[in-house]
Amino acid sequence: MLKKHLTWSALLLLPAALFADPVTSWVFDPVTPVAQEVRDTFQIMLGLTLPFLLLPQVLLVYAIWKFNAKRGHKPATFHDNVKLEIVWTVIPALVLVAISIPAFSTLKKIEVPPKSDLVVEVIGHQFFWEYRLPRYDVGFANEPLVVPADKIVTLNLTSVDVIHAWWVPSFGVKQDANPGRITHAWFKAPAGKYKGQCAELCGPLHGEMYIDVIVVSDDEFGQWLEKKMNAAAAPADSLHSEMLEPEAEMEAAHG
């Protein structure tokens, strides 16, 4: 019965999976220099450590087959092998040293951004993101972050309540936003739309705390920025009247 329910559930979820946005990540679609660096480092580490995962399994299977009691083999009687112990201690140590070189280089590139073209303040709230562009005196919340393509964008992150984490997989960026502290991240992305999500369990609506980043050309970014600045500079009375217009229209319609 359980198997039948699981089969039907999988069939019902299949259309949603087919029409859903493709999953992107730094493993398959690295779009920033940081994401590319992280993937290269990951591949180096995987190549260096994979033999330590596979070799013991191969030796174990060989030992089970070769020294099976049914085949008449007797167990070994020696207790130690100093040379072998030195070898299997020195080789992993050398591998760790080899891994540390690209790992520290990658960490330095993540922690130390190049000269910024745009600084964005990212403030985590339960359960939305607020963005501020201090150079242009523009702020907005619960909207996609719009940035120019192929520019260095530096993020200064903090939170007003609990710990959040700003995570866009394709950027290779995952940085905590902590109350009372400012953390930093950066990216340089080509034009496109990218999705992410809060990566720190922050409350009951954590699963709906999405991140949308729209990377556009310089001209499109200038137009978007102009609209935001005009909206910020609009007199409070005009905004108030715009808010009242729907109510006035409803009153007129109902006499």
Side-chain angles (χ1 to χ4, degrees):
M1 181 62 73
L2 178 60
K3 185 177 180 181
K4 185 177 180 180
H5 285 314
L6 290 175
T7 302
W8 277 109
S9 299
L11 291 174
L12 291 173
L13 291 174
L14 183 60
L18 291 175
F19 292 101
D21 290 335
V23 177
T24 59
S25 73
W26 55 268
V27 178
F28 302 106
D29 308 289
V31 299
T32 67
V34 169
Q36 186 67 49
E37 187 80 15
V38 170
R39 187 174 75 165
D40 293 345
T41 303
F42 170 75
Q43 290 175 339
I44 293 173
M45 296 175 67
L46 184 64
L48 291 174
T49 58
L50 199 57
F52 295 94
L53 174 65
L54 298 180
L55 184 59
Q57 314 309 319
V58 174
L59 292 177
L60 178 61
V61 172
Y62 174 75
I64 292 173
W65 172 78
K66 179 71 176 179
F67 303 104
N68 193 314
K70 295 180 180 177
R71 295 168 60 89
H73 289 283
K74 295 182 179 179
T77 56
F78 65 87
H79 293 279
D80 51 55
N81 187 320
V82 177
K83 290 183 179 179
L84 182 60
E85 291 177 4
I86 291 175
V87 169
W88 73 35
T89 301
V90 171
I91 291 179
L94 293 176
V95 170
L96 288 177
V97 173
I99 288 175
S100 69
I101 296 173
F104 279 115
S105 175
T106 301
L107 286 174
K108 184 178 180 181
K109 289 184 179 178
I110 293 174
E111 295 291 336
V112 184
K115 185 179 179 181
S116 297
D117 297 307
L118 177 68
V119 176
V120 179
E121 295 177 354
V122 182
I123 305 168
H125 299 255
Q126 287 180 312
F127 298 91
F128 64 92
W129 296 99
E130 177 186 354
Y131 299 104
R132 297 177 183 173
L133 280 59
R135 183 188 300 176
Y136 306 102
D137 196 22
V138 167
F140 55 95
N142 215 16
E143 295 179 19
L145 172 62
V146 179
V147 297
D150 300 320
K151 301 292 185 183
I152 304 296
V153 179
T154 300
L155 306 178
N156 296 331
L157 302 103
T158 188
S159 170
V160 298
D161 37 49
V162 299
I163 299 176
H164 303 278
W166 200 88
W167 178 42
V168 177
S170 291
F171 290 176
V173 173
K174 180 183 177 185
Q175 183 60 274
D176 282 352
N178 302 309
R181 292 187 60 187
I182 296 177
T183 54
H184 306 280
W186 71 278
F187 65 86
K188 177 185 176 184
K193 295 181 180 179
Y194 305 96
K195 290 185 175 297
Q197 186 170 4
C198 178
E200 190 72 41
L201 185 58
C202 57
L205 297 182
H206 159 73
E208 299 179 8
M209 199 168 169
Y210 301 116
I211 298 169
D212 290 289
V213 181
I214 301 175
V215 184
V216 296
S217 65
D218 287 347
D219 291 341
E220 291 172 319
F221 177 71
Q223 295 171 7
W224 173 84
L225 192 60
E226 186 177 0
K227 289 182 180 178
K228 286 294 181 185
M229 295 174 70
N230 290 338
D237 290 346
S238 64
L239 292 176
H240 183 65
S241 62
E242 289 178 1
M243 295 175 63
L244 292 179
E245 279 180 0
E247 295 183 4
E249 291 176 357
M250 290 179 63
E251 289 178 358
H254 290 82

